[in-house]
Amino acid sequence: MPEKRPFERLPADVSPLNYGLCLKPDLIDFTFEGKLEAAVQVKNATNQIVMNCADIDIITASYAPEGDEEVHATGFNYQNEDEKVTLSFPSTLQKGTGTLKIDFVGELNDKMKGFYRSKYSTASGDTRYAAVTQFEATDARRAFPCWDEPAIKATFDISLVVPKDRVALSNMNVLERRPYPDDESLVEVKFARSPVMSTYLVAFVVGEYDFVEARSTDGVLVRVYTPVGKAEQGKFALEVAAKTLPFYKDYFNVPYPLPKIDLIAIADFAAGAMENWGLVTYRETALLIDPKNSCSSSRQWVALVVGHELAHQWFGNLVTMEWWTHLWLNEGFASWIEYLCVDHCFPEYDIWTQFVSADYTRAQELDALDNSHPIEVSVGHPSEVDEIFDAISYSKGASVIRMLHNYIGDEDFRKGMNLYLTKFQQRNAATEDLWDSLEKASGKPIAAVMNTWTKQMGFPLIYVEAEQQEDDRVLKLVQKKFCASGPYTGEDFPMWMVPISICTSEDPSCAKMQILMDKPELTVVLKDTKPEHWVKLNLGTVGFYRTQYSPAMLESLIPAIRDLSLPPVDRLGLQNDLFSLARAGIISTVEVLKVMEAFVNEPNYTVWSDLSCNLGILGTLLSHTDFYEDIQAFVRDVFSPIGERLGWDPKPGEGHLDALLRGLVLGKLGKAGHKATLEEARRRFREHVEGKQLLSADLRSPVYVTVLKHGDSSTLDTMLKLHKQADMQEEKNRIERVLGAISQPELIQKVLTFALSEEVRPQDTVSVIGGVAGGSKQGRKAAWKFLRDNWEELYNRYQGGFLISRLIKLTVDGFANDKMAAEVKAFFESHPAPSAERTVQQCCENIALNAAWLRRDSEQLQRFLQQRRGPE
C-alpha cells in the first residue's frame, strides 16, 4: 500500500454560510482577478482563519464582525504542500457572524483543473481560449480561497466580468448583465443565489458557444451548448436530457431542484464529464452527435454519460458524500442508474447485457489483484483522493448496487432511495446512511450484507458440485476469495454474504431458488430436477462472484451455449468466468478455447464483444511467443462465420446492436489478417479517401484499423491527412485510437511523436500512446521507451488526475516477463507519481501474472493451436 501522507482536515472554528464571489478572467494574459465576500460564522473564538488555497496570491484580507469595525489580516501563511493558507489577525475574532473579504489573483492554467484555459479554433481558423472550470475533487481552491471539503456547504452568489461578446455561464440562471464601469468592452454578469452546495460542484464558463434548448415535461429549461456553428450536434443530448430529468424525478420522487440545467461541450477536458450542479461540463465526444458522422457506439456513450451526470444532480449534488471515503456512493450509484435511464430511453440497446461486459467484468479483473482496494477506502491528502477515481469506485460500486437492487427488489429500493434523499437533502451522508434507509424500506439486513462487499476488497469464487439423489439435485457450494494468482492461500478466510440464484434448463430465465450464502460452505437441495437437466448459478450474472463448476456440471452447460438456450448474459458470464479461471491457473487455457468454439452460432453483440476482448488479452500474451500467428488463425476461424453472415452492408430492419456487431467483427477479422476482409477494407478505404463513396461512421474504425495494421508509410500519411481535415472531434479521436496499429518501427516513432504534437488535444495524447502500446509487440516496447524519454512533459501535463494512471496502465500492462516488472517498478521509484502509486503496483502485479501464465500454458496452447491448423 502507498504510504499515508500526513493530512488534516480544516479546523471547524470558522465556517462559510455564503460566498459572494466576483471573478474577472483575462483571456489574453491567462490570469484572473477575484473578490470574495463571504458571510461566515465564527464558532470558536480564534485569531486565525485556515482555508484551502492553491496557486493563488492573496492581496488583501479582512474580517468584519456583524455591526463592528473591519479588522485587516496581518499575515498570510501559505502551506503549499497542504494547499492551505492561514490568515492571521491582530486580535481575537469572537463567536458570531461576520464578513470575510479577500482580494486575490490567480492564473488561468493549462492543466485542465481549477479555473483553466481551453483552446479552440474559430471558423476563420484563429486560435482562441475559453475560461472553464474543473473542481472535483480538490481544485476549487485554485479558483478562489475556500473551505474546499464536500461537507462544508454554503450558498453561492457568483458574478463574472467578461468581454461582452462572450457567453458567461454558472450553476444558476443569469439575473442581470450590466456594463462594467471601468471598461466598456466588458459586462458584469450576475447569477442567482445557489442552494446550499459543496465547493467541488461550483462551475463557470466563459467562451463562444451556440445552444439548442427545450423544456422537460416537468418545466425545467434544458440547454445544450456546443461550439459555434454546431448547435445541430447538441440535439441528441438535448433529447436524452429532456427525457431523463422527468425519469429521475419519478424514480426518486424528488423534483430537480434548480430552475435550469445546461450541458456544455468543452474542448480541453480531462474526464468524460463533470456533474457541476446546473452546469454540466463534457468532453466534446461525450456530448456532440452528428447524425451523419457519428457512429452507434458514440450515440450510446453520449446517452450513458448524460444519464450518469444528470443522476448526480440528485445523488451527489442534493445529497453529498460526507468525505471522499464515500466517493463510491456518488460514482457507483450514478454508474448503475445511468444504465437504468438508458434502458428507459433506448430499450433497443440491450444495455444491461452491455453493463456486464463494460463494468462488471472490468471490476472483477481489477478486484482479483492483491493490489486492489476496498470500495470504501480512507483517504486524506488530495493525491490519495485522485487515486480512487478508478474501476473499483465506479464499476465495482455499480455492480454491487445492481446486485443489491436485485436482492431488495425495485419497489423497496425506490422507497429506500426516496427516504435517503428526503432525509439528507442539502446535507451530507455516509455509506451507512444509505444502508439504513434501504434497510428501513426493505426489512432486509442490508448493512450486514453490504459491509462484506464495500469494507473488504475482493470477491468470492464459488465452487459448486452436484449429485443426483432420486428426483432431487443436491448442490454443494464452497466460497473462497478469488485471486488472480490462483487458489487463495491466505491465513485469514475472508467471507462474503452472497445472494445466490440458481436456475435449471427447465426455465433458464427464471430462478428456481434464491438463497443468501452467509457461511463458507452450503448444501442446497433442488427438488424435482431430472438427471438430464443442467443447473446454473448466478442467473443474469448479477451476483458479484465467479463460479467454478465441477467438470460434469460444466460439460452439461456447453450445449446450452451452442443452441442458445442459455440467455445471452449467462453465456457471457460463463465464458468470462472460465477465461479468468484459466488466467489464474485454476483451469487450463486450452479448455477455454474449446468452449469458445461453441460460440459459433452466437448472435449477441455483447457476448461477442466480451469474447473478442478475452481473445485480445490472449493475443497480447502470445505476442511474446513465436506462435502468435496461430492465435490469429484461431481468431479468424472463430469470427469468420459471423462475419460471413453479417456482410459489410446494413440490411433492412437492422438496428443499433447489428451496427455495433458488424464493426466489432470486421475490425477483429481485419486486424487478424483475414484475407477477404482485408481486401474489401482496402477497396472501401480507397473509395472513401478519393471521395467516391464515404464510409458510414460505423465502418470507419474497423476499416481504418485494418488498413493501418497491414499498411505502410503512405497509409499512415493518408490517415494523418484525414485527421487534419476532420471537423469533428469524434472523427479525430477515432483516428487517434487506431494509429498504433501500424507495425513498422520508424512509423511507430512517427505516431508517438504525433501524440505530443499540437494536432492532438492534451487529454487525447493518452489514447494515442496507449494505442501504440496495445498495437503490437514493437509498439509496446516503443511506447514504454517514449513514456520514459518524455516523462517530465507527460507528468507535468497530467499530474494529479486519473490521466496519468491511465497512461501508465495502457503503456505497461501488456508486458509479460518478470524483468519488465522490475524495470517498471524501478522507474517509478525514481520518478514518483503519487496519484498513480497504486496503478503502478497493479501493473507490476499484472506483468508478473502474465509471465506466470505464459510459463504455465504456452506449450499446451502451442500444441492445441497447431494441431487445429493441421499441416499447412
Side-chain angles (χ1 to χ4, degrees):
M1 274 302 299
E3 293 173 58
K4 287 276 178 218
R5 300 186 170 197
F7 171 79
E8 273 175 33
R9 282 168 67 167
L10 295 169
D13 303 334
V14 181
S15 60
L17 303 166
N18 168 268
Y19 291 86
L21 179 63
C22 179
L23 288 170
K24 181 170 169 246
D26 180 330
L27 300 174
I28 309 296
D29 292 336
F30 306 138
T31 55
F32 61 88
E33 295 167 28
K35 279 188 187 322
L36 174 66
E37 277 196 34
V40 301
Q41 184 163 25
V42 178
K43 293 179 179 153
N44 302 306
T46 174
N47 60 358
Q48 54 183 33
I49 295 180
V50 184
M51 301 168 76
N52 290 115
C53 174
D55 302 331
I56 277 179
D57 289 321
I58 293 175
I59 297 160
T60 60
S62 68
Y63 176 76
E66 207 165 318
D68 211 341
E69 298 285 290
E70 97 178 297
V71 188
H72 283 273
T74 44
F76 318 134
N77 179 17
Y78 298 96
Q79 294 105 291
N80 291 338
E81 230 350 71
D82 295 333
E83 304 184 342
K84 288 175 186 164
V85 65
T86 302
L87 309 175
S88 309
F89 293 89
S91 53
T92 304
L93 314 179
Q94 300 302 333
K95 277 164 75 159
T97 53
T99 306
L100 172 67
K101 290 188 185 176
I102 302 180
D103 289 1
F104 58 94
V105 292
E107 179 200 6
L108 280 179
N109 70 68
D110 60 355
K111 302 273 191 288
M112 298 189 282
K113 60 183 187 181
F115 198 9
Y116 72 93
R117 60 186 192 261
S118 168
K119 188 162 116 175
Y120 64 98
S121 301
T122 61
S124 57
D126 295 342
T127 296
R128 290 193 190 159
Y129 290 86
V132 303
T133 57
Q134 168 61 36
F135 291 165
E136 189 180 26
T138 57
D139 292 317
R141 62 193 66 172
R142 291 172 200 282
F144 56 101
C146 56
W147 286 264
D148 199 9
E149 295 182 2
I152 308 180
K153 289 189 169 187
T155 56
F156 286 82
D157 293 302
I158 290 176
S159 42
L160 297 172
V161 177
V162 303
K164 61 180 180 210
D165 60 347
R166 297 296 146 104
V167 172
L169 301 170
S170 182
N171 306 81
M172 298 299 291
N173 47 306
V174 173
L175 284 182
E176 55 171 348
R177 282 176 76 103
R178 52 170 182 227
Y180 184 64
D182 310 345
D183 181 343
E184 58 199 45
S185 70
L186 302 178
V187 288
E188 181 170 356
V189 183
K190 200 167 177 297
F191 299 92
R193 173 168 292 188
S194 77
V196 174
M197 63 188 281
S198 303
T199 48
Y200 79 89
L201 293 165
V202 172
F204 14 91
V205 174
V206 180
E208 297 176 279
Y209 300 94
D210 286 343
F211 66 85
V212 283
E213 67 177 9
R215 254 186 214 283
S216 69
T217 50
D218 45 356
V220 181
L221 180 64
V222 187
R223 282 185 174 177
V224 175
Y225 283 85
T226 71
V228 173
K230 297 190 175 180
E232 279 295 291
Q233 295 179 16
K235 285 191 164 156
F236 179 74
L238 182 67
E239 272 169 53
V240 177
K243 256 191 191 165
T244 296
L245 287 170
F247 172 74
Y248 286 147
K249 177 188 164 205
D250 261 9
Y251 195 85
F252 298 130
N253 202 5
V254 173
Y256 173 74
L258 306 185
K260 63 91 178 175
I261 187 159
D262 298 324
L263 291 71
I264 184 166
I266 306 289
D268 295 329
F269 197 78
M274 174 63 210
E275 70 267 20
N276 317 299
W277 215 356
L279 176 57
V280 184
T281 46
Y282 294 78
R283 276 191 185 200
E284 288 185 9
T285 48
L287 191 67
L288 304 181
I289 290 295
D290 171 8
K292 279 206 182 45
N293 292 302
S294 289
C295 60
S296 305
S297 58
S298 295
R299 303 171 82 85
Q300 179 176 303
W301 168 239
V302 169
L304 283 168
V305 179
V306 170
H308 180 100
E309 305 309 332
L310 295 191
H312 277 311
Q313 307 302 306
W314 285 262
F315 215 95
N317 302 6
L318 183 63
V319 178
T320 310
M321 68 252 148
E322 197 283 325
W323 182 248
W324 300 107
T325 297
H326 304 280
L327 168 76
W328 88 275
L329 262 190
N330 270 9
E331 296 306 347
F333 187 83
S335 301
W336 168 76
I337 206 166
E338 68 185 66
Y339 283 86
L340 199 69
C341 153
V342 167
D343 194 43
H344 163 80
C345 296
F346 303 99
E348 70 277 14
Y349 285 9
D350 181 29
I351 203 75
W352 279 116
T353 306
Q354 297 194 53
F355 174 89
V356 175
S357 142
D359 282 275
Y360 172 99
T361 55
R362 234 185 88 219
Q364 287 194 339
E365 209 169 292
L366 181 55
D367 205 24
L369 298 178
D370 295 342
N371 285 296
S372 181
H373 63 87
I375 282 180
E376 290 184 73
V377 62
S378 67
V379 287
H381 195 275
S383 72
E384 291 170 8
V385 177
D386 281 334
E387 195 168 40
I388 57 170
F389 285 80
D390 68 359
I392 298 294
S393 297
Y394 285 71
S395 299
K396 183 181 181 181
S399 299
V400 300
I401 285 178
R402 174 169 166 259
M403 173 168 73
L404 173 67
H405 173 264
N406 189 270
Y407 171 62
I408 295 178
D410 191 59
E411 196 181 331
D412 286 348
F413 186 85
R414 288 170 72 162
K415 243 189 272 174
M417 295 308 311
N418 172 264
L419 216 62
Y420 170 81
L421 287 169
T422 321
K423 180 173 177 186
F424 292 100
Q425 57 184 324
Q426 307 217 334
R427 298 180 25 222
N428 295 77
T431 304
E432 295 69 58
D433 298 313
L434 179 61
W435 297 162
D436 200 40
S437 299
L438 289 168
E439 207 152 292
K440 279 198 182 69
S442 69
K444 290 185 170 171
I446 306 302
V449 172
M450 293 307 287
N451 285 341
T452 66
W453 297 98
T454 67
K455 290 193 185 304
Q456 58 182 357
M457 71 179 206
F459 59 91
L461 170 64
I462 292 183
Y463 179 76
V464 51
E465 46 190 48
E467 194 186 342
Q468 191 72 23
Q469 293 185 356
E470 287 164 6
D471 289 340
D472 303 338
R473 189 82 51 94
V474 179
L475 304 182
K476 187 173 168 231
L477 313 180
V478 181
Q479 65 157 306
K480 277 204 175 122
K481 182 180 186 319
F482 177 72
C483 296
S485 55
Y488 179 70
T489 52
E491 298 296 294
D492 53 337
F493 282 97
M495 262 269 309
W496 286 264
M497 289 175 78
V498 194
I500 293 204
S501 57
I502 304 170
C503 67
T504 72
S505 42
E506 273 183 294
D507 187 351
S509 55
C510 182
K512 184 164 175 125
M513 181 178 240
Q514 287 178 303
I515 42 167
L516 188 66
M517 180 172 185
D518 54 5
K519 42 183 174 301
E521 302 196 4
L522 194 63
T523 301
V524 294
V525 179
L526 289 183
K527 294 273 181 222
D528 307 322
T529 303
K530 300 193 178 61
E532 65 275 13
H533 286 159
W534 52 253
V535 170
K536 178 171 185 302
L537 265 64
N538 204 0
L539 173 70
T541 317
V542 173
F544 198 74
Y545 57 90
R546 293 203 181 274
T547 309
Q548 184 186 1
Y549 294 97
S550 68
M553 286 183 82
L554 179 60
E555 199 55 40
S556 69
L557 283 164
I558 307 297
I561 293 177
R562 217 178 263 280
D563 68 16
L564 310 178
S565 57
L566 257 185
V569 70
D570 293 280
R571 302 194 293 268
L572 189 161
L574 190 59
Q575 177 267 132
N576 197 284
D577 278 355
L578 287 170
F579 189 77
S580 67
L581 287 168
R583 224 174 157 174
I586 295 171
I587 62 175
S588 121
T589 309
V590 168
E591 292 310 305
V592 186
L593 292 183
K594 289 179 181 163
V595 171
M596 285 180 172
E597 293 180 310
F599 283 84
V600 284
N601 310 313
E602 184 56 60
N604 184 283
Y605 160 69
T606 314
V607 178
W608 274 115
S609 154
D610 199 69
L611 204 67
S612 160
C613 221
N614 287 339
L615 282 170
I617 291 168
L618 198 55
T620 299
L621 184 77
L622 298 182
S623 67
H624 300 279
T625 68
D626 51 12
F627 59 95
Y628 177 63
E629 178 38 46
D630 298 321
I631 188 74
Q632 294 311 306
F634 182 81
V635 169
R636 294 194 295 267
D637 288 349
V638 169
F639 278 84
S640 50
I642 177 82
E644 306 270 303
R645 286 205 298 277
L646 285 166
W648 278 82
D649 298 302
K651 302 177 181 55
E654 281 190 353
H656 177 77
L657 292 163
D658 302 290
L660 292 180
L661 180 56
R662 179 172 289 110
L664 173 80
V665 171
L666 292 175
K668 200 74 179 169
L669 284 168
K671 258 198 308 205
H674 182 256
K675 232 177 148 135
T677 306
L678 173 56
E679 282 164 14
E680 182 64 5
R682 282 179 171 153
R683 188 185 71 75
R684 290 185 181 234
F685 184 64
R686 254 198 322 278
E687 298 209 322
H688 177 71
V689 173
E690 291 163 2
K692 282 189 195 148
Q693 176 72 54
L694 289 187
L695 284 164
S696 73
D698 282 313
L699 285 178
R700 285 180 204 169
S701 277
V703 167
Y704 292 170
V705 79
T706 301
V707 297
L708 273 166
K709 178 87 183 160
H710 309 281
D712 54 19
S713 63
S714 74
T715 322
L716 181 59
D717 291 341
T718 307
M719 284 311 287
L720 292 174
K721 200 165 94 206
L722 286 178
H723 181 276
K724 211 176 177 57
Q725 292 163 355
D727 174 47
M728 248 196 124
Q729 199 49 36
E730 178 188 324
E731 175 76 357
K732 286 190 190 291
N733 281 169
R734 195 175 358 249
I735 295 168
E736 287 158 4
R737 279 198 297 268
V738 298
L739 289 173
I742 200 92
S743 43
Q744 298 85 326
E746 67 285 4
L747 300 181
I748 288 174
Q749 274 327 116
K750 189 171 173 178
V751 171
L752 288 167
T753 311
F754 173 75
L756 273 180
S757 70
E758 287 286 308
E759 298 289 319
V760 178
R761 288 192 180 163
Q763 71 265 25
D764 299 320
T765 298
V766 174
S767 53
V768 181
I769 299 172
V772 170
S776 61
K777 187 180 173 181
Q778 299 89 319
R780 199 169 307 120
K781 286 197 179 118
W784 170 232
K785 184 175 186 324
F786 186 79
L787 177 92
R788 287 172 307 175
D789 294 346
N790 296 278
W791 178 250
E792 299 295 300
E793 183 177 350
L794 290 165
Y795 183 63
N796 190 23
R797 265 192 195 194
Y798 306 124
Q799 59 185 8
F802 64 96
L803 282 173
I804 197 78
S805 295
R806 184 173 294 173
L807 176 67
I808 294 168
K809 186 174 165 49
L810 288 170
T811 308
V812 304
D813 234 10
F815 286 113
N817 67 54
D818 296 320
K819 200 169 108 266
M820 276 309 306
E823 189 177 304
V824 170
K825 186 168 182 281
F827 178 80
F828 290 108
E829 272 166 6
S830 55
H831 302 79
S835 69
E837 244 173 279
R838 190 182 276 113
T839 300
V840 170
Q841 290 163 338
Q842 289 164 348
C843 289
C844 292
E845 184 178 348
N846 270 328
I847 295 171
L849 288 167
N850 287 341
W853 188 11
L854 207 51
R855 280 194 298 274
R856 210 171 43 232
D857 278 0
S858 93
E859 275 178 42
Q860 209 186 351
L861 274 167
Q862 182 169 14
R863 267 202 310 278
F864 169 74
L865 290 169
Q866 290 177 347
Q867 277 161 357
R868 269 188 85 259
R869 293 183 75 177
E872 295 253 325

